[in-house]
């Protein structure tokens, strides 16, 4: 009997596309898997009952509660927090932060800064691993509840906190090396820096995450980026979902596995 797997992962960025590629690679190795895209809106309809398992980027409690109540095996590939009954596979944000720190250290930067999305677990974890006692941390973005717009609505050509970014950049000692939580943030930061007359990379050297070659091509100055191996995150999430479908879903918290 065929198993229908719902995939709730955005595909507008390299991270999401690579993750879907990993899920698809695992599915092609199975004789009975059928993958189907599912929107957040679909999750709140009876259509969800047609599936045997779900792989999703769960950004808010509302979606998490809906998926949990469906009684299906679920793997979260965003891992904002540990959720009872929902397993998780995520990038190793600690290692990503360490790689960024080493990248700047070998290039002998003494002034470092971090520009992320305060309140997003992946961003905060990367900041903690990257920052030293003297690292300047950006915290100016208006606080708001995280939801799926984190993946579907953000754009490289529209920066909601552009004014705050520019004010923050002016306060940093120059030259400065800035690690950004992802490539979208890196592009937004580069535009803010150029708008106030800072030179890239002479005044502000920028490093992102996701290895999004299409997004980075928008930048006037090429942007370096860490590849978080999203393909393997997707592949491991699919493999974990297979194991969960072979046994009854558990209500206890699952350990988040990292790639």
């Amino acid at each position: 009997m065929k198993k229908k797997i719902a995939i709730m992962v955005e595909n507008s960025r390299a991270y999401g596309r690579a993750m879907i590629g990993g899920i698809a690679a695992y599915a092609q190795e199975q004789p009975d898997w059928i993958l189907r895209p599912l929107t957040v809106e679909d999750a709140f309809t009876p259509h969800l009952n047609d599936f045997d398992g779900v792989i999703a980027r769960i950004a808010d409690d509302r979606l998490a509660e809906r998926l949990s109540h469906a009684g299906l095996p679920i793997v979260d590939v965003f891992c904002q927090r540990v959720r009872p009954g929902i397993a998780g596979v995520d990038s190793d944000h600690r290692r990503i932060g360490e790689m960024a720190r080493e990248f700047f250290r070998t290039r002998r930067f003494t002034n470092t800064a971090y520009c992320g999305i305060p309140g997003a677990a992946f961003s905060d974890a990367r900041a903690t691993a990257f920052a030293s006692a003297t690292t300047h941390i950006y915290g100016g973005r208006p606080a708001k509840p995280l939801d799926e717009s984190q993946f579907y609505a953000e754009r490289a050509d529209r920066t909601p906190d552009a004014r705050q970014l520019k004010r923050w950049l002016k306060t940093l000692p120059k030259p400065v090396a800035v690690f950004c939580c992802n490539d979208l943030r890196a592009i937004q930061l580069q535009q803010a820096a150029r708008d106030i007359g800072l030179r890239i990379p002479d005044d502000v050297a920028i490093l992102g995450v996701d290895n999004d070659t299409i997004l980075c091509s928008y930048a006037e100055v090429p942007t370096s980026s860490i590849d978080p191996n999203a393909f393997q995150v997707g592949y491991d999430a699919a493999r974990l979902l297979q194991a969960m479908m072979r046994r009854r879903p558990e209500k206890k918290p699952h350990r988040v596995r990292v790639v």
Side-chain angles (χ1 to χ4, degrees), residues 3-249:
K3 295 184 178 71
K4 288 183 63 177
I5 311 302
I7 308 300
M8 299 178 60
V9 176
E10 56 79 29
N11 60 11
S12 61
R13 299 191 205 164
Y15 189 90
R17 292 192 298 270
M19 186 186 299
I20 293 171
I23 297 169
Y26 183 86
Q28 289 165 7
E29 298 171 2
Q30 312 308 311
D32 57 350
W33 272 43
I34 300 174
L35 302 182
R36 292 290 183 267
L38 196 71
T39 67
V40 173
E41 292 75 19
D42 289 336
F44 291 89
T45 70
H47 187 46
L48 184 63
N49 299 327
D50 297 336
F51 293 91
D52 299 290
V54 180
I55 299 175
R57 300 189 78 173
I58 304 175
D60 58 60
D61 293 337
R62 175 173 169 265
L63 178 59
E65 290 173 5
R66 167 56 181 147
L67 294 177
S68 293
H69 290 159
L72 299 173
I74 301 163
V75 178
D76 179 13
V77 286
F78 183 51
C79 302
Q80 174 69 9
R81 61 175 57 91
V82 175
R83 304 180 188 275
I86 298 178
V89 179
D90 203 2
S91 296
D92 188 343
H93 304 302
R94 178 188 60 81
R95 183 69 189 117
I96 288 171
E98 291 172 348
M99 290 175 68
R101 184 177 60 200
E102 181 65 14
F103 180 80
F104 287 143
R105 188 192 67 79
T106 59
R107 285 154 183 78
R108 302 183 185 279
F109 279 98
T110 56
N111 299 319
T112 60
Y114 180 79
C115 182
I117 304 170
F122 79 94
S123 176
D124 293 344
R126 292 172 185 180
T128 299
F130 170 76
S132 67
T134 58
T135 299
H136 301 264
I137 307 293
Y138 175 72
R141 194 172 209 187
K144 67 174 184 177
L146 294 175
D147 56 27
E148 61 272 9
S149 68
Q150 195 63 241
F151 313 116
Y152 294 95
E154 289 189 319
R155 292 169 43 179
D157 61 347
R158 185 174 61 199
T159 308
D161 56 340
R163 291 184 179 179
Q164 294 176 75
L165 277 178
K166 293 172 186 178
R167 287 198 295 269
W168 180 68
L169 281 167
K170 290 177 181 179
T171 68
L172 300 179
K174 312 297 188 302
V176 62
V178 184
F179 175 42
C180 294
C181 65
N182 57 24
D183 288 338
L184 178 64
R185 205 62 170 138
I187 300 304
Q188 293 173 341
L189 185 75
Q190 181 176 146
Q191 185 57 55
R194 294 178 66 85
D195 285 348
I196 59 176
L198 296 177
R199 300 167 299 166
I200 310 294
D202 305 77
D203 300 320
V204 184
I206 301 173
L207 174 66
V209 183
D210 287 348
N211 197 32
D212 192 327
T213 55
I214 294 177
L215 183 59
C216 289
S217 69
Y218 291 141
E220 294 184 43
V221 178
T223 302
S224 296
S225 181
I226 295 173
D227 185 346
N229 198 2
F231 180 95
Q232 192 65 45
V233 172
Y235 188 93
D236 286 1
R239 182 166 54 186
L240 177 57
L241 182 65
Q242 176 76 303
M244 294 173 68
M245 290 190 298
R246 288 173 175 164
R247 62 179 185 267
R248 297 183 64 181

